[in-house]
Amino acid sequence: MTNASHEVAKGPHHASGAAPSALSAHSIVKRFPGVLANDSVDFDVLPGEVHTLLGENGAGKSTLAAMLCGLYQPDSGYITRNGERIALSSPRAGLHHGIAMVHQHFRLVERFTVAENVILGSRDLSYKLNRSELEDKVAAVADSYGLPIEPGATVGELSVGQRQRVEIVKALYQGAEILLLDEPTAVLVPAEVEKLFENVHAMTRAGKSIVFISHKLGEVVEISDRVTVLRNGRVTGHVSGRGAADTKELARLMVGRDIELTTQRASHATGHEVLQIRDLSLTVNGVSVLSDISFNVHAGEMVGIAGVAGNGQRELADTIAGLISPTSGSVAISGSLTTDRGPIHARELGLAYVPEDRLGMGLVPSMSILDNLLLTRDRHIVVDRTTVRPEAARLIEQFEIKANGPDHVARKLSGGNAQKVLLARELSGGRTATKLLVVCSPTRGLDVGAIETVRALLDDARSAGQAILLISEDLDEVMSLSDRIFVLYRGSVVYETPGESAQLSTVGAAMAGLQPEGKS
Amino acid sequence: MRSPIRIVFEQRSETPKRLSILVPLLSVVAALVVGALFLLATGYSPIETYSNMLSDGFTSSRGITDTLGLSTVLICTGISAAFAFQMNLYNIGGEGQLYLGMIGGAWAGLALGDRLPTFVMIPVVLLVGSLAGALWVLLPAFVRSRLGTSEIVTTLLLTYIAASLVKHFVYSPGSFFVTKNSAFPQGRLVPDSAALKGIGDTSLYPTFFLVILIAVVLFWVVKKTEYGYRIQVIADSPRAAHYAGINANRTTLSVMLISGALSGLGGAVLIVGPFGRLDPGIILLGYGYAGIVIAALARNNFSAIIISGILFAGLRSGGDKLQISTSTPIHIGVMLQGAILLFALGGEAFRRYHIHAVRTERATQ
């Protein structure tokens, strides 16, 4: 315990004086079957401050936030609001006490307008809605915090950043004094993150408290007045004072050891063209999803595709993998066309594909690791599991997959281990030796330790001469691994740069659709 | 002040093995309890009724053979339902496919029976009956696999058409299926070459062992073959199937057709066995619908269906005989069947969730 609990700054509570904290959790314990999600956690947030909950996936930060807003009830411990003990039996009770959560996955009705979404759930509405009056009220709330939104716009037509603003305005409209933001930057481009941070400051200036939940160290340092680090359900450290936190120190508190996520590039000259994409276009239901994409990936090279989710990345990967037929243009692997010939043909040419969606697409949740290894392989009429079993056991060992053996069901694996199973299958070759590896968001949702492993595996595959197409929303990842970077925006490649000389600001601007000069 | 005790449904990460046996077992017990209450309310003795059912259905030697005889068709419709259900295809028209199996089997028997020997005729009748059952599900299977039309609606509605078809073939004058010049419209008996003898002059026919064999083979197919592997992938995640290049449309079509064929086989089993003719009385018996309940109680496990099929057959045949031996209404057997389904479905909650009461700590203001 002495080793685990690290107090960087002593006495973080009530640092600003005697004012009671707006919201505090006292010795919260929450157990789920098989997991102690929160182990006597203390946490508090003062009026007008940003207090960050930092931790890896599964550290217990979302569980704590869920209890702070009334979604879950603690097994023991209690919560106080302005020093008084309160019982939060539901999110509505949370709202009653001025606590609201902005979830990572928005809970908005796409067909409704912004104003309609904001007032949804209010119980003091009259039988007949006066739309213009409501829209004015919503606009007034938004304006007072510098949140630009159009109350009459339909939510389905808004960008992700705008939708997030609607969620925040909704919380404020409902009278929230304390906002819990769950991984708010996960879906945003750099420019939108900046905008969000401005909004956060506007809210804290107005006396609101923000509980910021994140595992991204850089932004945590930037935005937080205080940081509480969680690991395995326990508080492992407090840091207070804006800018006082140091990313290295936070990483160590978060993971429990020193972490080095270094830049990795091709160490030797790249070989022949493995993937050739020519004038690829795809139109779905009259909407252009991909337009005129052409590029090559060479043996021993990693090409990164950056972009905000929903700009055609998934469709690009699926088209290369032979799951979708393009409207025009062609895809060739090692010189052979794959267009219109289906996924099995593409795999026979040496394709391996790690889709973004692990459980449900890349893996069959109810099947064992062993059966999942068979998914993309040649299966005989009577499935021969006995000869694959030793190989499954070997891969589990080699990829350090935490499982009870080849019969472990995929659904019961953690996110990181599920991803390792997927990578193990795709990297180990199936029908033929892997020549081209298409990976989508390979480290999304993984903890830092697993990210290190996965990145190393990709780097090894590159060194072994495989051509790799890395498609990821994590810009840091694309920037630190890729030999060349393309930015996908609304289905087009809008920017291209060598990985070594890539600038975060330029790539970020291209992702947001701002035309940079240097399109090559 | 509100009660501080709440019932909590906590999702299980893993279902204990014992529950997989305990829940169906308790469903049957609970259904018997409800049946007993019903019997008490209507003035019958539950103990007497149940002991009569037990001896008529399970313990007397006549009871055992009658039960196993009846279970032959019920296991057929049970595996028919389960084969489709395991891929989330809800073929609930096994009843209609069973009628078609009877029509097809009777037709084959009547049309070819005089010319061919028994060892050829029996397989032919069973095969034609199965094909007729498969044919009846062809349209629902096709529109389901191509257009995604709900097979629940199409298979159910086709059952009513199948029932009308049976009546048409029996009641329309000059029908191929009925005895000529008979005052009472009645299906013609198939020739002896297309009829099996009950084992030892009981109502248990050799087809029972064929059906058991089919259930065991299907169990093996699902667990061990590439075809079964594909079924499992599609059932769990169609997108993973697409990713792996598995043709879901074709598999959907074939699974539905096999399901229909199995119900059709159930109808043909009745032709070579106890019925021997196309009999409109089948419409009242609901053997096809019983298959749905049998599959649900066995949770689509083919080996468990053999047991639940025999159990249901015992309840049915024991219940039917009550009418004769006592004055208890015949419907007690059918009622128990319905109650078992309700409890088996409700029991799923216990398998999926850990249900327990907790005392919530109330915050003091």
Side-chain angles (χ1 to χ4, degrees):
Chain A
M1 184 69 196
T2 43
N3 200 17
S5 175
H6 183 102
E7 199 93 341
V8 171
K10 204 67 196 157
H13 308 282
H14 316 299
S16 59
S21 50
L23 182 70
S24 341
H26 305 267
S27 316
I28 296 284
V29 176
K30 182 68 182 176
R31 228 177 275 274
F32 291 117
V35 191
L36 186 54
N38 276 185
D39 185 2
S40 46
V41 172
D42 291 308
F43 180 81
D44 72 308
V45 59
L46 301 172
E49 83 163 345
V50 179
H51 190 163
T52 294
L53 268 174
L54 176 71
E56 296 188 300
N57 294 289
K61 49 191 199 304
S62 291
T63 305
L64 179 61
M67 285 184 285
L68 289 174
C69 75
L71 214 50
Y72 296 157
Q73 283 73 45
D75 293 341
S76 74
Y78 60 96
I79 292 164
T80 59
R81 174 92 171 88
N82 294 329
E84 283 187 20
R85 194 160 161 171
I86 54 170
L88 297 173
S89 54
S90 68
R92 185 167 285 280
L95 268 182
H96 174 74
H97 289 288
I99 307 160
M101 174 124 151
V102 174
H103 294 274
Q104 192 177 356
H105 303 287
F106 305 145
R107 294 164 185 206
L108 297 170
V109 184
E110 296 204 355
R111 290 177 175 214
F112 280 14
T113 65
V114 169
E116 284 165 343
N117 267 290
V118 168
I119 61 161
L120 192 69
S122 304
R123 288 193 170 173
D124 52 357
L125 293 173
S126 61
Y127 178 65
K128 194 171 177 300
L129 290 181
N130 183 341
R131 276 171 207 282
S132 64
E133 190 185 311
L134 282 171
E135 285 179 9
D136 288 346
K137 270 168 81 178
V138 169
V141 171
D143 284 348
S144 58
Y145 299 98
L147 290 151
I149 58 167
E150 181 63 57
T154 307
V155 163
E157 289 161 8
L158 299 182
S159 75
V160 177
Q162 287 169 317
R163 287 180 198 208
Q164 187 175 60
R165 254 171 256 150
V166 177
E167 285 273 20
I168 294 172
V169 169
K170 178 169 182 168
L172 294 168
Y173 180 88
Q174 289 168 327
E177 289 297 319
I178 298 154
L179 281 97
L180 296 98
L181 308 180
D182 188 8
E183 305 268 357
T185 61
V187 290
L188 303 180
V189 292
E192 284 177 318
V193 172
E194 241 167 74
K195 181 75 200 144
L196 171 72
F197 285 4
E198 281 172 30
N199 299 145
V200 166
H201 290 314
M203 289 189 281
T204 49
R205 270 197 302 277
K208 309 278 181 197
S209 307
I210 308 288
V211 177
F212 190 83
I213 300 157
S214 180
H215 64 263
K216 294 187 181 170
L217 297 167
E219 64 186 37
V220 166
V221 170
E222 187 186 339
I223 192 78
S224 316
D225 295 312
R226 280 195 288 157
V227 181
T228 292
V229 188
L230 284 176
R231 186 171 79 236
N232 295 333
R234 289 177 168 211
V235 175
T236 53
H238 289 291
V239 182
S240 56
R242 179 175 299 262
D246 157 56
T247 50
K248 265 211 149 134
E249 177 66 17
L250 288 177
R252 208 180 57 71
L253 290 171
M254 191 160 102
V255 185
R257 62 183 165 87
D258 286 316
I259 276 293
E260 215 59 60
L261 288 180
T262 52
T263 308
Q264 293 152 344
R265 312 246 182 249
S267 49
H268 45 78
T270 55
H272 60 282
E273 292 176 356
V274 176
L275 174 68
Q276 296 156 312
I277 298 177
R278 293 282 164 276
D279 309 319
L280 192 70
S281 294
L282 176 70
T283 306
V284 179
N285 299 329
V287 180
S288 169
V289 183
L290 297 173
S291 53
D292 268 337
I293 292 178
S294 298
F295 64 86
N296 301 321
V297 184
H298 301 81
E301 180 191 35
M302 192 176 323
V303 168
I305 303 278
V308 182
N311 275 290
Q313 295 96 321
R314 184 184 287 248
E315 289 82 0
L316 176 64
D318 281 358
T319 309
I320 294 169
L323 302 178
I324 305 178
S325 290
T327 314
S328 66
S330 65
V331 176
I333 298 171
S334 301
S336 303
L337 283 180
T338 67
T339 323
D340 297 333
R341 304 194 62 176
I344 293 177
H345 179 74
R347 284 185 178 276
E348 279 165 355
L349 292 172
L351 169 92
Y353 175 30
V354 176
E356 188 182 332
D357 190 359
R358 285 158 213 158
L359 284 180
M361 183 161 174
L363 299 173
V364 183
S366 67
M367 282 187 166
S368 65
I369 293 176
L370 177 67
D371 276 8
N372 269 298
L373 287 177
L374 289 163
L375 186 64
T376 55
R377 298 194 179 187
D378 203 7
R379 297 174 299 268
H380 306 286
I381 292 174
V382 176
V383 178
D384 180 12
R385 291 182 174 88
T386 37
T387 54
V388 186
R389 184 171 288 277
E391 196 201 339
R394 190 177 55 75
L395 288 173
I396 287 171
E397 197 171 329
Q398 184 191 334
F399 284 77
E400 295 171 352
I401 297 162
K402 285 196 189 104
N404 306 330
D407 294 320
H408 197 104
V409 176
R411 194 196 306 113
K412 291 176 191 159
L413 292 167
S414 72
N417 283 306
Q419 183 69 338
K420 283 186 199 164
V421 171
L422 192 47
L423 281 166
R425 184 184 71 207
E426 296 301 305
L427 288 172
S428 61
R431 292 164 193 273
T432 51
T434 302
K435 291 187 188 125
L436 169 68
L437 177 63
V438 177
V439 276
C440 296
S441 303
T443 60
R444 194 195 48 179
L446 303 194
D447 51 42
V448 182
I451 290 174
E452 250 186 334
T453 322
V454 169
R455 287 190 180 180
L457 288 170
L458 292 178
D459 194 43
D460 291 348
R462 167 168 57 190
S463 304
Q466 295 180 11
I468 303 177
L469 185 66
L470 169 69
I471 301 177
S472 176
E473 288 152 41
D474 185 343
L475 188 50
D476 290 338
E477 177 164 278
V478 171
M479 301 249 317
S480 56
L481 292 178
S482 312
D483 302 310
R484 283 187 294 148
I485 296 170
F486 296 92
V487 176
L488 207 54
Y489 178 72
R490 296 202 174 153
S492 300
V493 172
V494 293
Y495 182 67
E496 178 184 347
T497 173
E500 224 139 14
S501 56
Q503 297 293 316
L504 185 71
S505 55
T506 353
V507 176
M511 283 167 69
L514 306 169
Q515 201 68 27
E517 306 85 62
K519 194 199 168 177
S520 42
Chain B
M1 182 136 177
R2 280 179 302 168
S3 161
I5 289 178
R6 288 190 305 147
I7 303 292
V8 175
F9 282 66
E10 208 165 80
Q11 198 149 16
R12 289 178 191 277
S13 56
E14 199 162 354
T15 302
K17 267 248 157 62
R18 61 192 163 86
L19 279 185
S20 298
I21 296 162
L22 213 60
V23 166
L25 216 61
L26 287 178
S27 308
V28 175
V29 172
L32 289 173
V33 171
V34 168
L37 292 175
F38 176 80
L39 286 167
L40 276 177
T42 48
Y44 298 96
S45 155
I47 295 169
E48 195 188 331
T49 309
Y50 284 158
S51 64
N52 278 335
M53 277 178 77
L54 191 68
S55 82
D56 288 342
F58 298 101
T59 51
S60 68
S61 71
R62 178 68 192 277
I64 291 169
T65 52
D66 282 358
T67 294
L68 294 182
L70 177 59
S71 76
T72 310
V73 57
L74 294 182
I75 292 169
C76 260
T77 55
I79 53 180
S80 158
F83 197 70
F85 290 178
Q86 60 165 344
M87 212 177 101
N88 302 324
L89 291 169
Y90 294 97
N91 172 20
I92 58 166
E95 182 77 24
Q97 293 138 29
L98 177 101
Y99 301 162
L100 261 287
M102 275 189 95
I103 293 171
W107 175 83
L110 292 171
L112 309 167
D114 292 332
R115 273 162 271 169
L116 297 166
T118 302
F119 73 93
V120 181
M121 268 319 289
I122 299 297
V124 166
V125 169
L126 295 179
L127 203 66
V128 172
S130 305
L131 285 175
L135 182 77
W136 205 241
V137 87
L138 182 63
L139 185 70
F142 186 77
V143 293
R144 163 66 208 237
S145 73
R146 290 303 139 104
L147 306 169
T149 312
S150 166
E151 72 285 359
I152 302 177
V153 176
T154 50
T155 54
L156 179 67
L157 292 181
L158 277 171
T159 297
Y160 293 102
I161 298 175
S164 303
L165 217 52
V166 170
K167 288 182 198 155
H168 169 77
F169 284 137
V170 176
Y171 296 126
S172 73
S175 164
F176 173 74
F177 291 89
V178 295
T179 322
K180 298 269 183 311
N181 309 320
S182 160
F184 185 70
Q186 194 183 6
R188 243 193 309 160
L189 277 173
V190 291
D192 285 346
S193 61
L196 285 172
K197 296 251 177 314
I199 297 166
D201 215 20
T202 65
S203 51
L204 174 63
Y205 291 84
T207 42
F208 174 75
F209 301 101
L210 173 73
V211 169
I212 298 290
L213 181 70
I214 290 174
V216 172
V217 168
L218 282 179
F219 184 77
W220 178 81
V221 165
V222 170
K223 291 277 180 231
K224 297 289 178 193
T225 66
E226 148 74 13
Y227 184 64
Y229 182 91
R230 261 189 284 158
I231 289 174
Q232 288 172 51
V233 173
I234 297 167
D236 190 358
S237 36
R239 291 184 46 239
H242 179 58
Y243 165 81
I246 293 170
N247 188 330
N249 284 351
R250 208 186 305 160
T251 311
T252 299
L253 196 67
S254 66
V255 166
M256 286 287 277
L257 291 180
I258 290 171
S259 171
L262 290 167
S263 277
L265 177 68
V269 157
L270 295 174
I271 296 296
V272 299
F275 282 52
R277 56 162 68 116
L278 184 61
D279 183 349
I282 185 70
I283 293 167
L284 298 172
L285 295 171
Y287 291 159
Y289 292 126
I292 297 169
V293 187
I294 290 161
L297 189 67
R299 307 195 60 256
N300 303 338
N301 177 315
F302 295 101
S303 45
I305 283 171
I306 297 171
I307 298 164
S308 71
I310 291 171
L311 174 77
F312 268 80
L315 286 177
R316 287 291 294 265
S317 90
D320 290 355
K321 285 175 201 153
L322 280 178
Q323 181 85 338
I324 306 158
S325 53
T326 70
S327 59
T328 320
I330 190 168
H331 294 297
I332 181 72
V334 181
M335 202 193 79
L336 286 174
Q337 172 184 315
I340 290 172
L341 176 64
L342 281 178
F343 282 108
L345 294 179
E348 273 299 286
F350 289 92
R351 291 182 10 89
R352 290 202 194 139
Y353 300 96
H354 178 217
I355 302 170
H356 55 122
V358 291
R359 196 172 285 274
T360 47
E361 191 190 327
R362 282 178 64 86
T364 46
Q365 294 290 340

